[in-house]
Amino acid sequence: MSVPESKYLSPVWRDGLFKDRVVFVTGGAGTICSMQTRALVRLGANACIVGRSQGKTEEMAKDIATVRPGAKVIGIGGCDVRKMESLQAAADRCASELGGIDFVIAGAAGNFVVSLEGMSANAFKSVMEIDTLGTFHTIKATMPHLLRSPTPRILFISATFHYTGMPMQGHVAAAKAAVDSLMASVALEYGPRGVTSNVIAPGAIEETEGAARLLSSEVVDQHAAEIPSGRLGTVRDVADATVFLFSEAGSYINGQTLPVDGGAWRRQGGTSVGTDEAMRYPNYLMTGEISKNIKDPRKAKL
């Protein structure tokens, strides 16, 4: 697919900004992380994206490589972030083939709409393993390579649900709170060795898998109107924030969480996740009702 540069990168950044740098990205075939990677590659970096789907990950890597002549982008499918050996092999291959790892984006995640009452132990465990254990594995697998870089940066993709609590997102709120905590630990323990560690917490980002899984088509416009900035976010908003944090301009920003949500989290804790226009809090929780207009990726066993 051909993606216009204006969709994933603002025109303010200097060409060659990340020349000779290498970025390792988990969840790199996803809607947001692939655009973050695309922006970095366009500005000179080479990349390795990993994901569970072999075909999707390899095809995305080929597509991202087209944004800059001479770009090297490796796609490693069949990588399960819940398994340390799987991530370790991917990180080692990235460093071997591309010459090291300078930047890491820990973006692998799982989500679906479900109440605590309706959630199985296995469903909760699955999200915790993908988001939290997967993040820990990413740190462990990449840190030895990062410590050899002159500009080691690690960035975690989180969320804002745990700031206030959010109905139907208890599993994700717990997992992302842990991700934020791991980010802080990395900043404290590896900051003295030159590593910067930060979180980007996207809000609802239009035309993404995440938005499709959480927001009913009936409430998208209403949700956007209630965001202080008056719109949903874009993948470019997240990619631009990533470029900033990985650039020299972000070198003294460490141990921080950056919500990229137009101020939405300051009004959250409401009812838009998993609901339709006619569904009101707390009535839909009492009846166990969930919108039929959202994408549900869960398997039947969950």
Side-chain angles (χ1 to χ4, degrees), residues 154-173:
I154 186 165
L155 181 64
F156 306 90
I157 306 303
S158 187
T160 64
F161 300 135
H162 53 290
Y163 300 173
T164 59
M166 176 67 73
M168 306 290 190
Q169 291 289 276
H171 49 329
V172 178

Side-chain angles (χ1 to χ4, degrees), residues 13 17 30 38 47 69 71 123 147 185 197 222 264 286 301:
W13 307 111
L17 183 63
R38 194 179 296 268
L147 290 173
S185 293
S197 168
Q222 174 189 333
M286 305 301 287
K301 65 178 181 179

Side-chain angles (χ1 to χ4, degrees), residues 21 131 153 184 189 237:
R21 294 293 180 257
D131 288 45
R153 312 264 201 268
E189 295 189 23
D237 293 325

Side-chain angles (χ1 to χ4, degrees), residues 4-56:
E5 186 173 320
S6 60
K7 186 176 179 67
Y8 64 88
L9 191 66
S10 293
V12 300
W13 307 111
R14 171 174 57 84
D15 280 349
L17 183 63
F18 298 123
K19 186 176 183 295
D20 299 326
R21 294 293 180 257
V22 174
V23 58
F24 179 87
V25 187
T26 67
T31 326
I32 291 177
C33 290
S34 66
M35 292 299 183
Q36 292 173 285
T37 308
R38 194 179 296 268
L40 298 172
V41 172
R42 167 63 183 81
L43 295 175
N46 294 317
C48 176
I49 63 172
V50 302
R52 296 203 53 190
S53 170
Q54 190 91 29
K56 182 180 178 181

Side-chain angles (χ1 to χ4, degrees), residues 125-262:
K125 179 182 177 183
S126 178
V127 170
M128 292 297 292
E129 286 185 338
I130 295 170
D131 288 45
T132 306
L133 185 60
T135 294
F136 174 76
H137 287 162
T138 302
I139 295 165
K140 295 291 287 183
T142 62
M143 192 56 69
H145 301 294
L146 276 176
L147 290 173
R148 300 186 187 102
S149 169
T151 57
R153 312 264 201 268
I154 186 165
L155 181 64
F156 306 90
I157 306 303
S158 187
T160 64
F161 300 135
H162 53 290
Y163 300 173
T164 59
M166 176 67 73
M168 306 290 190
Q169 291 289 276
H171 49 329
V172 178
K176 294 304 190 183
V179 169
D180 287 9
S181 181
L182 284 169
M183 173 277 291
S185 293
V186 171
L188 290 167
E189 295 189 23
Y190 291 100
R193 300 169 73 177
V195 178
T196 67
S197 168
N198 294 289
V199 154
I200 283 179
I205 305 298
E206 64 183 12
E207 299 178 3
T208 62
E209 187 81 3
R213 291 181 181 183
L214 299 183
L215 293 179
S216 162
S217 57
E218 291 189 1
V219 301
V220 169
D221 290 343
Q222 174 189 333
H223 181 82
E226 293 176 353
I227 294 172
S229 290
R231 64 173 177 86
L232 297 184
T234 67
V235 290
R236 191 175 82 171
D237 293 325
V238 180
D240 279 339
T242 303
V243 172
F244 168 66
L245 288 172
F246 281 170
S247 74
E248 188 62 24
S251 63
Y252 199 55
I253 298 173
N254 200 8
Q256 303 302 312
T257 297
L258 177 61
V260 180
D261 72 341

